[in-house]
Each structure stands twice: as structure tokens, then as C-alpha cells.
Amino acid sequence: MKKLLSIILVAALLYACGRKDEQQTTSDPGSAGSLTTSEYDPKRGQGKFENVEVSTTLDVAMAKDGKLVYELKCASCHKLTEEKLVGPGWAGVSKKHAPEWLMNFITDPDPMIDLDPELQSQLEMCLVRMPNQNLSDDDARATLEFMRENDGIK
């Protein structure tokens, strides 16, 4: 009887964990209501940043601050190369994603992980959700500038 109960419990857990709805929704405290995967903007992500201005040249002082944030909060999971550590490597990330997308993800990763198909496939590879590091907007912007420096922006 115990064995049968254990099998039923494991089956129920596997079913619940593996179940995917056609449309997932998430709520952003700063938005009006919830967002579905069909409404998600993969270029901007989800969050408060709609337009992040970046110069064609690097802000060296900001990148230096971003390097400190990286060393303190990011380096334990991300390498500056393409190599995966716990999370994916950062090489090319600022060329692959728009500044708005990066800022939204850095400051509030959970809603984007829930909605972005690319982030969901990353999660399947890395097996660990990026934690919210509670970075200020200024620290997130400095981190973005450091990402740009890492990608060769001068």
C-alpha cells in the first residue's frame, strides 16, 4: 500500500511540474493588469524600462562601477566569456539584446523568465533561475555599461 501511494504521489508531482499552459500570465506591480506570452515583447522584455539611451561610445566611469557590481553580485554565476558557469556567459549579451531588455531583466528577472521562451530554454539548460539581486536602477545601468565594455564597445 505504501509503495502504491508513493508511486501515485510521484506521478502527481511530475504531472504538476511538467504541465505547461498555452498562455502563461504574470502580473507586474507597475503595469495595468497581467501580460500573456502572446503580448510579451521579446525585444523589450517586461518591466519599467521602455527606452534606455546608450551612447555609441563607452561611459568608462559607469563601466568601472558596473564591474564592481559584476564582481560582487554576478561573477559567482556568470563568466565574461561564452562559457556557462551556473548561468550563461556574458560574451555578446549586449549585442544580442536591446538595452531595455537587459535593464528589465537585470532589475526584475522573474516575470521575464516566466514569459520569454528564450529564457525558459536557458533555464532548462542551466537548471537555476536567476535570482533577483535587487539592484538599483543606477547599478543596473552601470552593469549594462560593463556588459557593453565586455563586448568591445570603446
Side-chain angles (χ1 to χ4, degrees), residues 92-104:
V93 74
S94 72
K95 294 178 180 179
K96 182 178 182 180
H97 296 288
E100 298 78 17
W101 189 97
L102 289 167
M103 290 289 291
N104 284 323

Side-chain angles (χ1 to χ4, degrees), residues 27-134:
S27 204
D28 178 10
S31 73
S34 62
L35 192 65
T36 64
T37 52
S38 63
E39 298 168 327
Y40 178 75
D41 181 356
K43 291 187 185 339
R44 187 183 77 78
Q46 178 187 352
K48 62 184 171 182
F49 296 99
E50 293 185 19
N51 187 23
V52 177
E53 295 293 327
V54 293
S55 174
T56 55
T57 59
L58 187 72
D59 182 324
V60 177
M62 193 183 299
K64 184 178 176 185
D65 291 343
K67 182 177 182 182
L68 294 174
V69 173
Y70 167 80
E71 291 169 347
L72 181 66
K73 299 239 179 183
C74 311
S76 60
C77 294
H78 299 281
K79 289 191 174 196
L80 297 175
T81 64
E82 292 180 359
E83 186 180 352
K84 174 187 166 270
L85 190 54
V86 174
W90 278 12
V93 74
S94 72
K95 294 178 180 179
K96 182 178 182 180
H97 296 288
E100 298 78 17
W101 189 97
L102 289 167
M103 290 289 291
N104 284 323
F105 187 61
I106 291 168
T107 56
D108 192 12
D110 291 320
M112 289 180 61
I113 292 170
D114 292 341
L115 292 170
D116 191 296
E118 184 179 333
L119 287 172
Q120 290 170 358
S121 67
Q122 284 280 345
L123 180 59
E124 288 176 14
M125 288 185 337
C126 296
L127 303 175
V128 178
R129 283 179 79 93
M130 180 169 143
N132 188 334
Q133 296 288 344
N134 296 310

